[in-house]
């Protein structure tokens, strides 16, 4: 007897299916509300190798739904913490922690090492990036996403270009702010628990051929009334619009810009954002003491080099407006922060403080 | 015909399911809904008729079930 006996005695599953799982590798993108339950069930089911990528740290507000983690994990990297917990439970599978945020620069190198990709990310720029990279690399993608009390699950790209992908459903991306994520609207922990578990089930079914998978279909679920709705997806003539077709085209994509988050703004727009919402912050990214100083607008100072360590100072804001002397360092700063906060509105104020003071 | 709405679209319409008069095609239906619920104009969504995704302007047969499918991003 081994720890998989109960599933391989299942009629229609059997030892051959178990062998397939053992020989398969799955990459879980995001050890969040969806990634945690998916990871628990995929590791329990005996997937041979599981990778977990997440650059985020465990915070207190994650604990209602990111059920792998507890109080002792606060402040730890999610991927490393999750990998440690899973490896301790099961020593017969390989677990790889990738403690970074996914970027267009690193994604193809990472996904090529896995047979199947599971997207449990939490924002549109990352979802399009993952979709496009899976198309380029020829990887099947198990997709899951939630909104308040509803969820959706699908399998994309199972058979390369013959298959449906996210761009068939939504060739024009919603703006990143059109649909708020759970950090903004709240969520009961059980909803990503259900959807993440469905995603794990779809991985197992797809890999073993057990039952009918959600290949080229999308399943909607509503926690409030248990309504579900399954739709057969269809190819969209606009699917190729703006889609990067290879490695170098992927590198030229700006997914934030594509999802309506442009990297630059002017002082007028910046000041109005600062006046109208307390979710906005203005950051001087110059070195301490650089002249001229900005004296008449509330702002904080984080020098460019310190930005990678400033997550806790910025995480609560939706609009992060960056300025420097003339606008070039602050534009670099946008790039540095984008991978950490893919769905925030992070903008460099054009012309910097010189334009503010002298134009 | 029956109209099913999900996510933010259901929030805007105020219901997940409504019976409405028949519309000849999806463009006219969407135009009518955007007029009734202007907030829909800012949203991207896909459309399904009788549980099959459709693209472009497609005719709607009497008694069909049309669903408006918005993207979710949360995780």
């Amino acid at each position: 007897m081994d720890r998989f006996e109960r599933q391989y005695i299942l009629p229609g599953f059997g030892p051959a299916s178990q062998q397939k799982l053992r020989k398969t590798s799955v990459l879980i993108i995001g050890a969040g509300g969806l990634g945690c339950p998916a990871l628990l069930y995929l590791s329990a089911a005996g997937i041979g190798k599981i990778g977990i990528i997440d650059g985020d740290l465990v915070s207190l507000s994650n604990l209602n739904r990111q059920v792998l983690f507890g109080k002792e994990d606060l402040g730890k990297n999610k991927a490393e913490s999750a990998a440690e917990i899973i490896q301790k439970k099961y020593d017969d599978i390989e677990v790889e922690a990738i403690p970074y945020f996914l970027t267009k620069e690193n994604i193809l190198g990472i996904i090529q090492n896995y047979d199947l990709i599971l997207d449990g990310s939490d924002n549109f720029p990352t979802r399009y990036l993952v979709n496009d990279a899976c198309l380029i690399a020829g990887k099947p993608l198990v997709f899951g996403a939630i909104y308040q009390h509803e969820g959706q699950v699908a399998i994309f790209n199972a058979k390369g270009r013959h298959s449906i992908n996210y761009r068939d459903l939504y060739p024009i991306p919603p703006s990143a702010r059109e649909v708020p994520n759970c950090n903004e609207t709240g969520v009961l922990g059980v909803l990503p628990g259900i959807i993440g578990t469905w995603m794990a089930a779809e991985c197992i079914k797809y890999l073993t051929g057990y039952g009918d998978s959600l290949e080229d279909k999308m399943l909607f679920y509503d926690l409030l009334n248990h309504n579900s709705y399954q739709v057969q997806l269809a190819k969209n003539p606009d699917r190729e619009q703006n889609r990067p077709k290879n490695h170098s085209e992927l590198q030229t994509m700006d997914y934030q810009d594509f999802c309506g988050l442009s990297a630059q703004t002017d002082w007028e727009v910046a000041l109005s954002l600062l006046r109208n919402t307390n979710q906005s912050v203005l950051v001087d990214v110059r070195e301490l003491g650089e002249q001229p100083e900005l004296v008449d607008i509330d702002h904080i100072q984080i020098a460019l080099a310190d930005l990678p360590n400033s997550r806790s100072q910025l995480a609560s804001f939706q609009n992060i407006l960056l300025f420097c002397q003339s606008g070039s360092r602050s534009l670099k700063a946008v790039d540095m922060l984008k991978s950490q906060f893919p769905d925030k509105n992070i903008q460099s104020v054009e012309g910097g403080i010189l334009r503010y003071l002298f134009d | 015909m029956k109209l099913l709405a999900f996510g933010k679209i259901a929030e805007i319409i105020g219901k997940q399911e409504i019976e409405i008069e028949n519309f000849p095609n999806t463009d006219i239906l969407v135009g009518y809904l955007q007029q009734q619920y202007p907030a829909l104009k800012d949203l991207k969504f896909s459309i399904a008729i009788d549980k099959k995704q459709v693209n472009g302007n497609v005719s709607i047969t009497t008694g069909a079930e049309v669903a408006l499918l918005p993207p979710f991003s949360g995780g």
Side-chain angles (χ1 to χ4, degrees), chain A residues 21-95:
Chain A
L21 297 185
R22 159 117 243 124
K23 287 184 183 148
T24 301
S25 54
V26 175
L27 177 69
I28 296 179
I29 295 171
L34 297 169
C36 282
L39 176 56
L40 278 165
Y41 278 102
L42 290 176
S43 57
I47 299 286
K49 177 185 170 189
I50 300 179
I52 309 147
I53 179 162
D54 203 321
D56 201 2
L57 310 179
V58 180
S59 70
L60 193 60
S61 66
N62 297 151
L63 299 188
N64 82 317
R65 63 196 185 282
Q66 301 180 17
V67 292
L68 267 176
F69 309 123
K71 268 164 65 182
E72 67 278 11
D73 302 304
L74 295 177
K76 291 186 192 164
N77 171 269
K78 288 183 185 177
E80 288 175 339
S81 196
E84 197 185 313
I85 292 163
I86 295 300
Q87 198 72 83
K88 207 168 150 191
K89 281 163 72 80
Y90 310 115
D91 60 5
D92 56 355
I93 59 170
E94 187 187 338
V95 184

